[in-house]
Amino acid sequence: MSVRELLATLRRGEVPAPEAVAGFAAGLARGGVSDAQAGAFAMAVCTGPGLGTAGRVALTRAMTEGGERLSWGAGAPVLDKHSTGGVGDPVSLVLAPALAALGARVPMLSGRGLGHTGGTLDKLEAVPGLSVEMDAERLRAQVARTGCAIVAAPGDIAPADRRLYAIRDVTGTVDQIDLITASILSKKLAAGVAGLVLDVKAGRGAFMADAAAARALARALVDTARGAGCRAAALVTAMDEPLAPACGNALEVAEAVATLRGTARDGRLRGVVVALGAELLALGGLVAEAAAGRARMEGILDDGGAAARFAAMIAAQGGPADLIDRPGRHLPSAPVIRDVAARRAGTIAAIDGAALGRAVVALGGGRQREGAAIDPAVGLDRIARTGARLERGDPICRLHAASPEQADAAEARVREAVAFGAAPPEAPLVLERVA
């Protein structure tokens, strides 16, 4: 089936044959599919019935097999994590070094921002001198030396996903189960991981706002991964409001550093890191069960082992060796920094995480078109939590902007995103486990 025939099938609302989907993915990898055709494919999948189970598996396998596949040989388990995307979510920056300090090998192939959510690579590139680009040989060498690396997928790994990922970002075709599953798993399976945990976000700040849709995605990811021979589990985690009290690349790196140093004022980020790490330690056979993994994760965060491994990873990738000790010296700072003050006393009843994410994008902290430059210094921090009681004049958050005009526009977005009223019941961080 030609690409035109495949697109016509999707346009008619029909589920295409798995072989046609696999051929499309092969064309993406080889350059036989244009960007316009890839965008049309993504849009048709989102607006139609999807690819079906067999088509989703075919797309995932073809994208995995369309490039190089890494192998790691005998030794410590090779583990990784992926998040479906949220706001204020620098989990990877804390989780990867913590796992490495506990004996795992963690070659974390990450992505850039999609839509209103931040990308791990964009966050790391806020660190002066740090590079997220490396070939497979250097990746193996760094993991052998430091136990972990957080990088872009080398050019020969899942090249079809590299193209489709960027096109989905700028065409508004992010939140579809088949495309998400294939994108995530093609890179992870090609990276040769033996254990994978999926952090599937649910809530207003996530792509999957509906909890039922998030559970369906978690199941699709786990089943597809295990069908390909990779041990996997998923946690559905809450993402109504930002996970960390910061949104923006440099600001989220600073929050990750504070969590690693034990000085963070908010424990939600650490809570999700511990939960995901416990699952991975069990999947990799480093502990008998997740309960034991939680204790080990807590310990490595408390004793400084994770912080030391983070410092080694940052230095190995070209960043400053003392970032963990002096983040303020190295991370960029915006020229306009000011509070958004509450205009009346009250309790925060709800926060629209997606709206805060869009505010950061509008400040220049995310991309509104493919290839756009990002300002790493802008964003929000000291974000008040849902349920917090504020007096008139108390800060809702602190703005970091490139100009007073941008700060004014962002303040208006923040005020629209925060609702005052009765305090909601406290919700758990982990909503469900899928295995």
Side-chain angles (χ1 to χ4, degrees):
M1 183 180 288
S2 70
V3 175
R4 287 187 177 183
E5 290 171 330
L6 171 63
L7 293 175
T9 298
L10 290 166
R11 191 171 60 248
R12 292 193 298 268
E14 300 172 6
V15 176
E19 296 81 5
V21 176
F24 173 82
L28 272 174
R30 294 194 302 264
V33 173
S34 70
D35 285 353
Q37 289 172 321
F41 170 82
M43 187 64 70
V45 172
C46 284
T47 58
L51 301 177
T53 301
R56 180 173 64 242
V57 172
L59 181 63
T60 301
R61 287 179 174 170
M63 290 171 68
T64 300
E65 295 166 0
E68 182 181 1
R69 302 185 71 174
L70 300 181
S71 59
W72 298 93
V78 180
L79 306 176
D80 201 356
K81 158 264 179 188
H82 188 89
S83 167
T84 56
V87 291
D89 182 13
V91 164
S92 295
L93 305 187
V94 182
L95 179 61
L99 290 168
L102 289 170
R105 291 178 286 179
V106 190
M108 192 172 281
L109 305 187
S110 296
R112 301 193 179 278
L114 276 175
H116 66 272
T117 69
T120 298
L121 300 183
D122 298 325
K123 293 167 192 171
L124 277 176
E125 286 184 334
V127 178
L130 188 142
S131 173
V132 297
E133 305 290 341
M134 62 178 67
D135 59 24
E137 182 177 354
R138 184 182 162 200
L139 174 60
R140 291 189 188 94
Q142 179 171 320
V143 172
R145 186 168 65 254
T146 67
C148 58
I150 303 178
V151 297
D156 291 335
I157 288 182
D161 178 65
R162 185 185 291 266
R163 289 189 62 202
L164 191 57
Y165 190 97
I167 289 167
R168 287 166 58 216
D169 183 20
V170 297
T171 56
T173 54
V174 173
D175 54 347
Q176 202 280 337
I177 284 180
D178 299 330
L179 300 180
I180 294 171
T181 299
S183 177
I184 292 170
L185 294 182
S186 59
K187 292 190 293 288
K188 300 303 184 182
L189 296 175
V193 301
L196 176 65
V197 68
L198 292 312
D199 182 6
V200 181
K201 304 295 188 183
R204 286 185 295 271
F207 287 119
M208 293 292 178
D210 179 67
R215 286 193 294 270
L217 174 58
R219 175 53 60 193
L221 286 164
V222 170
D223 289 349
T224 305
R226 292 195 168 190
C230 178
R231 301 186 69 193
L235 298 182
V236 180
T237 62
M239 183 46 72
D240 279 327
E241 60 187 310
L243 177 60
C247 299
N249 297 303
L251 299 171
E252 291 184 48
V253 173
E255 196 64 35
V257 168
T259 298
L260 286 161
R261 296 179 62 189
T263 59
R265 295 186 289 181
D266 185 300
R268 287 166 54 92
L269 171 59
R270 175 171 168 139
V272 171
V273 168
V274 169
L276 294 169
E279 293 288 339
L280 277 171
L281 292 174
L283 286 171
L286 293 172
V287 295
E289 56 186 19
R294 292 186 67 88
R296 294 200 66 193
M297 287 293 297
E298 295 280 8
I300 207 67
L301 290 169
D302 287 340
D303 69 14
R309 199 59 64 104
F310 174 84
M313 181 187 75
I314 294 297
Q317 292 183 222
D322 61 345
L323 179 68
I324 194 75
D325 297 314
R326 293 191 281 184
R329 175 181 178 182
H330 300 290
L331 293 173
S333 178
V336 178
I337 301 175
R338 73 184 194 211
D339 287 341
V340 177
R343 290 172 173 164
R344 61 180 178 86
T347 298
I348 296 180
I351 296 175
D352 185 339
L356 293 187
R358 290 191 292 269
V360 174
V361 172
L363 282 167
R367 295 178 184 81
Q368 301 192 60
R369 65 183 186 278
E370 187 177 356
I374 281 181
D375 185 342
V378 301
L380 318 170
D381 71 348
R382 302 185 184 180
I383 302 168
R385 287 291 182 205
T386 299
R389 172 72 186 180
L390 301 183
E391 300 301 324
R392 186 175 183 274
D394 286 348
I396 298 171
C397 71
R398 188 170 63 171
L399 282 171
H400 300 249
S403 70
E405 294 76 18
Q406 286 187 339
D408 291 343
E411 179 173 342
R413 288 176 179 266
V414 169
R415 293 192 183 282
E416 290 179 359
V418 178
F420 286 82
E426 187 172 351
L429 282 173
V430 178
L431 306 177
E432 188 169 338
R433 178 178 183 270
V434 178

